[in-house]
Amino acid sequence: MADQARARRIAERIKQLVTQGLSQVVKDERVGFVTITDVRVTGDLQNASVFYTVLGTEEDRATAGEVLETYRGRLRSFVGKGLGIRLTPTLDFILDALPEDAQHMDELLREVAERDAALAAARREAGFAGEPDPYRKPRTEDDEPHPDRDL
């Protein structure tokens, strides 16, 4: 089992090599705008999960996924030559949901800001529920005595 620092270095190198391989090995124009966002390598350096995003529609994402699966072996060979280690890890391509998550977070933050603005507007228009000064005041001589209290 490799140490964490070595696994991180290899993952970063795989990320660079896969990015190079997309332009040098994959000669398919259907791949579109693919960006490799992250690579995670298992502790034994046998498997590498390659996360990618695609700029475009859902159809572009599906097409890019198919192309990456088609060229998986060639990309693995390219990565193996560039890594120079004894065993080349298998590559698993996973569509990264980062852009969709970021868009969802933006929508939630926008909704929270709208609710905060509505609450602030309601606060400005609000008044007292009862008397402006609900606390008891000392009685003065002008006050009439209450028959039940003043015994």
Side-chain angles (χ1 to χ4, degrees):
M1 185 153 176
D3 61 351
Q4 294 292 332
R6 182 170 186 232
R8 280 194 306 270
R9 285 193 312 269
I10 289 176
E12 189 61 34
R13 184 67 180 141
I14 290 172
K15 181 178 176 182
Q16 294 170 355
L17 288 170
V18 170
T19 303
Q20 286 177 359
L22 288 177
S23 61
Q24 295 176 7
V25 175
V26 179
K27 302 292 184 184
D28 197 336
E29 63 276 351
R30 296 179 301 156
V31 82
F33 295 104
V34 174
T35 304
I36 305 301
T37 57
D38 194 19
V39 174
R40 296 193 184 145
V41 180
T42 58
D44 58 358
L45 305 177
Q46 296 294 313
N47 298 319
S49 298
V50 180
F51 295 91
Y52 68 95
T53 60
V54 179
L55 183 66
T57 64
E58 190 64 38
E59 181 180 325
D60 294 336
R61 290 184 189 106
T63 303
E66 292 171 5
V67 170
L68 288 174
E69 288 300 318
T70 303
Y71 283 91
R72 181 194 303 200
R74 292 182 189 165
L75 285 171
R76 183 175 181 221
S77 296
F78 184 79
V79 168
K81 290 175 187 172
L83 276 179
I85 59 177
R86 187 169 64 92
L87 295 173
T88 303
T90 60
L91 302 178
D92 295 323
F93 291 99
I94 301 168
L95 182 62
D96 198 356
L98 184 70
E100 290 82 15
D101 290 345
Q103 181 180 8
H104 180 66
M105 290 297 289
D106 285 341
E107 290 172 5
L108 290 175
L109 290 173
R110 190 174 319 112
E111 183 180 327
V112 166
E114 290 172 1
R115 287 184 183 179
D116 283 347
L119 183 62
R123 233 184 245 141
R124 281 191 298 271
E125 297 171 3
F128 293 109
E131 299 175 13
D133 188 11
Y135 299 105
R136 291 188 184 183
K137 297 178 187 84
R139 256 196 276 174
T140 60
E141 295 177 8
D142 297 335
D143 292 339
E144 292 184 21
H146 192 276
D148 294 335
R149 280 190 300 184
D150 298 329
L151 293 178

